[in-house]
Amino acid sequence: MTTVTKLSVTGMTCGHCVSAVTNELRTVQDVQDVSVELHVGAESLVRVISKLPLAEAPLREAIDEAGYDVTDVDVLEDAVAAESAAQAPARQANRTLPIVPS
């Protein structure tokens, strides 16, 4: 099972900010991967990938250590199955054959 923890983070403005947050989060036990969607002047979206749900406190502490603030946390357990289910209607739409007039 894969878990995605989405964190909304304020104060990030550049690639250095992204690097600082990524490096701090990678030190948290059981974190497998980190990706950051930088939104200058708004909340950036940080995704933390793990096999099992992570405790929120170490994630917040890591981001605090990097110098930023977490405003929201959302955990999506069994993320692969959820993502696959969300994409199923689009996959079905692509599989229908077009009607060709004779």
Side-chain angles (χ1 to χ4, degrees):
M1 177 167 54
T2 300
T3 300
V4 176
T5 304
K6 296 178 184 179
L7 305 154
S8 297
V9 179
T10 59
M12 298 173 64
T13 60
C14 64
H16 180 270
C17 301
V18 171
S19 179
V21 166
T22 300
N23 290 337
E24 286 296 332
L25 285 170
R26 285 189 175 150
T27 66
V28 175
Q29 185 175 348
D30 297 324
V31 168
Q32 293 181 314
D33 196 18
V34 177
S35 67
V36 178
E37 225 177 87
L38 179 63
H39 299 282
V40 178
E43 292 179 338
S44 295
L45 177 61
V46 178
R47 288 183 183 89
V48 179
I49 310 297
S50 58
K51 286 192 183 218
L52 299 172
L54 300 170
E56 188 176 319
L59 299 175
R60 285 183 176 273
E61 289 168 10
I63 291 174
D64 184 59
E65 183 67 27
Y68 306 97
D69 295 312
V70 176
T71 59
D72 189 41
V73 178
D74 184 32
V75 178
L76 178 60
E77 293 184 46
D78 203 5
V80 173
E83 185 175 289
S84 180
Q87 293 174 355
R91 285 195 305 270
Q92 289 296 332
N94 291 336
R95 291 186 181 159
T96 57
L97 298 173
I99 298 173
V100 179
S102 49

